[in-house]
Amino acid sequence: AVREGAAVYDAATASGPFASRYTYGRLPSWSRRPLEDGDLFHVDLYGTLDGYMFDFSRTTVVGTEPSGAQREVLEGVGESIESSLAALAPGMTGAEVFQLVRGKLVDRGLADPPSPPGEARDGFAGYDCHGHGLGLFWEWPWLTPWETRELETSMLIAIECMAGTPEVGLAKLELNAILEESGPQPILTLPAICTADRL
């Protein structure tokens, strides 16, 4: 990324026994813990290129095929984000998009319903934001339960989640698309969930 002219703000990573965290919890957001075969590993990479923000996340299993339980988490997260992104349309509110993503995750047992207003919960209750606009910075609309701003054509939207189970850990996935009248146009062709059979 740097070689191509990007300014990387951070690469927030977590793996193995820490895969239930967004990141290792320090700056920089990585550690020197050696990766091990079978670790769930996720990264959220964000920064700018020519002044415009990029922000995406991916998850993989290190060195081997996912276990059955890992595959259920990876496929559930992938389906939730990919299908929600495909459903984006001008006029939807951030709250409607949030509920679309969270509803799919809850149905799969990968997240809890959102917290009541003013109440914060830890762990697998979930981070009550499933994305945001992108441009010169992180921008409106935010995909939260209370966002009334609407999506408009030509917006770049990042749609994301961090979800999973206590036994497996959390998978992180974030996809970006430009919202056009004809529908959302994804801007990366990398596989959403990077397992050996999808590369």
Side-chain angles (χ1 to χ4, degrees):
V2 172
R3 186 171 57 245
E4 295 299 322
V8 177
Y9 287 4
D10 200 9
T13 66
S15 62
F18 305 107
S20 294
R21 301 180 184 179
Y22 171 69
T23 189
Y24 192 68
R26 61 175 69 182
L27 289 174
S29 300
W30 53 82
S31 74
R32 294 186 177 185
R33 175 189 172 272
L35 297 174
E36 299 178 8
D37 285 351
D39 278 354
L40 195 67
F41 172 85
H42 53 77
V43 59
D44 191 352
L45 182 68
Y46 45 93
T48 62
L49 178 65
D50 297 331
Y52 290 91
M53 288 289 298
F54 62 86
D55 185 4
F56 59 90
S57 302
R58 294 293 188 273
T59 300
T60 192
V61 174
V62 176
T64 187
E65 291 295 317
S67 68
Q70 287 173 329
R71 186 171 290 279
E72 285 186 18
V73 168
L74 293 170
E75 290 180 350
V77 165
E79 191 280 331
S80 297
I81 294 299
E82 289 176 322
S83 63
S84 297
L85 184 142
L88 294 181
M92 294 178 74
T93 67
E96 289 172 331
V97 180
F98 172 89
Q99 190 52 53
L100 187 63
V101 177
R102 183 58 65 88
K104 292 176 183 298
L105 293 170
V106 170
D107 288 347
R108 286 179 169 264
L110 299 176
D112 293 336
S115 306
E119 179 182 317
R121 287 191 250 168
D122 294 328
F124 290 86
Y127 172 56
D128 287 343
C129 179
H130 285 310
H132 46 80
L134 279 173
L136 298 177
F137 202 64
W138 291 283
E139 297 182 355
W140 304 105
W142 288 83
L143 309 183
T144 65
W146 48 85
E147 178 60 87
T148 59
R149 293 176 179 90
E150 295 181 353
L151 277 63
E152 300 176 12
T153 55
S154 300
M155 282 183 169
L156 175 58
I157 301 294
I159 186 167
E160 64 183 307
C161 75
M162 189 169 72
T165 66
E167 299 77 24
V168 172
L170 298 173
K172 182 86 171 72
L173 178 60
E174 183 172 15
L175 301 178
N176 303 171
I178 298 171
L179 190 58
E180 299 181 355
E181 289 289 353
S182 59
Q185 302 301 314
I187 62 170
L188 282 177
T189 56
L190 291 171
I193 297 294
C194 300
T195 56
D197 61 333
R198 295 192 69 183
L199 293 176

